[in-house]
Amino acid sequence: MSVVLSRDSQVRVMEDTVTNAEKHLGQFCSMLAAYTRKTAQVRDKADRLVKQLTDFANTEHPEMRATLRSFAEDLAKVQDYRQAEVERLETKVISPLKLYGAHIKQTRAEIKKLKQVQKNEIKQLAKLGKLRQKSPSDRLTISQAETSVQRASADASHTTHQLGEMIEAFQKRKLTDLQKIFSDFVTIEMVLHAKAVEVYSSAFQTLENYDPERDLEDFRAKMHGLYGHRDARPLTETVSSPAVPWSLTGQSAQTALRGERREDEETMEASAEEDLRGRGRALHQ
């Protein structure tokens, strides 16, 4: 009977392991999916800001126009990186967590089978006990009952051993997967922020270099009806960099241009990601 109790204790540990995994991994999946959706929403809001900046720049004087368009381009680049962040979170973080739903369901089914086997063992033991009490002299019936108990115990022992190995493999996979999932999450965030700092530094310098006096001169000239070389210049003469992609109309144009940029950026992003991973390992050592 002590063996039966020991197996019952093992099953409880197995059930607790699966229950905790189901609860917490499910919560991680939901929270990280919400995090990814929020990131996508920030990207969309920033896209609208880029378009608003471009529209406003077209109404301004030459120096402010060039400054705002350059700022809009930098802001648009960050949203390209944020789009890559969203895609990577979905692939490397959310998708692996989703796989645990089916895996946990299968493991629960195996635990249920083991519990049925254990119930049969307990049932056979109880039957044998009753026979020994009611018919202690019926050796044939008792012998048959003992054989049934031995079969049930062997079956329970074999099934418990198999399931124990399965749960141990499940636990090992869970631990290594969580390590990789959260390492990927941190790496994805580091890549985004490293690139964003680089681009925003450029944007900050552009804004710092803006000289409002030149636009004020242009404004004063217009106010007094003086149209000389300081008059508002055509956009193509005042902007040294290419037009910001969000001057195109509609979300589809934004998506198309992001796709064109992606091929060149993927190599750079992979290199940056590997560099950040290397730095992380060096610091850890």
Side-chain angles (χ1 to χ4, degrees), residues 71 74 199-210:
F71 172 47
D74 286 337
V199 175
Y200 281 138
S201 297
S202 172
F204 178 81
Q205 194 60 52
T206 298
L207 293 167
E208 281 289 292
N209 292 338
Y210 169 66

Side-chain angles (χ1 to χ4, degrees), residues 7-202:
R7 280 198 284 264
D8 187 60
S9 177
Q10 283 181 285
V11 172
R12 282 198 297 271
V13 172
M14 294 176 189
E15 285 185 308
D16 288 344
T17 300
V18 175
T19 298
N20 288 334
E22 183 177 35
K23 175 185 176 181
H24 294 291
L25 294 183
Q27 289 175 343
F28 285 144
C29 188
S30 297
M31 290 178 181
L32 288 166
Y35 179 94
T36 304
R37 288 194 298 272
K38 290 293 184 181
T39 300
Q41 290 173 8
V42 171
R43 174 206 61 203
D44 294 341
K45 293 292 185 182
D47 283 344
R48 292 174 61 185
L49 176 58
V50 168
K51 185 179 185 306
Q52 186 66 35
L53 284 168
T54 306
D55 291 344
F56 178 66
N58 292 336
T59 68
E60 278 298 312
H61 295 277
E63 298 303 322
M64 177 57 76
R65 181 188 304 156
T67 298
L68 287 179
R69 289 184 68 85
S70 178
F71 172 47
E73 285 182 351
D74 286 337
L75 190 56
K77 286 180 185 177
V78 174
Q79 305 327 305
D80 287 341
Y81 299 142
R82 190 162 275 128
Q83 171 64 22
E85 177 196 17
V86 169
E87 293 173 359
R88 290 179 176 184
L89 286 172
E90 290 174 345
T91 302
K92 294 187 174 184
V93 176
I94 298 172
S95 293
L97 286 171
K98 284 182 178 179
L99 294 176
Y100 271 89
H103 194 44
I104 287 172
K105 184 177 180 180
Q106 179 184 357
T107 306
R108 280 197 178 282
E110 294 299 323
I111 292 175
K112 186 176 180 181
K113 288 180 183 178
L114 173 58
K115 292 176 78 172
Q116 290 296 328
V117 171
Q118 285 185 319
K119 284 181 180 179
N120 181 57
E121 180 185 20
I122 293 171
K123 180 181 177 181
Q124 295 301 326
L125 282 169
K127 183 178 179 181
L128 176 61
K130 288 180 180 179
L131 282 173
R132 283 174 174 170
Q133 288 179 352
K134 291 182 178 180
S135 306
S137 59
D138 191 350
R139 299 304 307 163
L140 178 60
T141 304
I142 291 175
S143 177
Q144 291 174 343
E146 287 175 341
T147 302
S148 296
V149 167
Q150 289 174 356
R151 288 201 201 99
S153 296
D155 191 16
S157 177
H158 177 69
T159 305
T160 302
H161 179 71
Q162 281 189 323
L163 189 57
E165 291 181 343
M166 179 185 294
I167 295 297
E168 184 175 342
F170 172 85
Q171 182 73 354
K172 181 180 179 180
R173 176 183 171 183
K174 182 192 75 176
L175 296 175
T176 54
D177 281 353
L178 285 176
Q179 180 188 30
K180 185 176 188 309
I181 287 168
F182 287 119
S183 293
D184 285 341
F185 174 79
V186 172
T187 302
I188 290 167
E189 293 296 307
M190 285 195 299
V191 169
L192 169 71
H193 287 86
K195 288 182 171 293
V197 167
E198 181 182 349
V199 175
Y200 281 138
S201 297
S202 172

Side-chain angles (χ1 to χ4, degrees), residues 203-238:
F204 178 81
Q205 194 60 52
T206 298
L207 293 167
E208 281 289 292
N209 292 338
Y210 169 66
D211 182 7
E213 284 301 321
R214 298 186 65 183
D215 278 340
L216 283 173
E217 289 177 15
D218 189 76
F219 177 73
R220 293 187 191 108
K222 285 186 176 182
M223 285 285 291
H224 294 86
L226 300 176
Y227 295 94
H229 69 282
R230 290 296 303 151
D231 197 1
R233 295 187 292 272
L235 187 59
T236 54
E237 296 178 3
T238 62

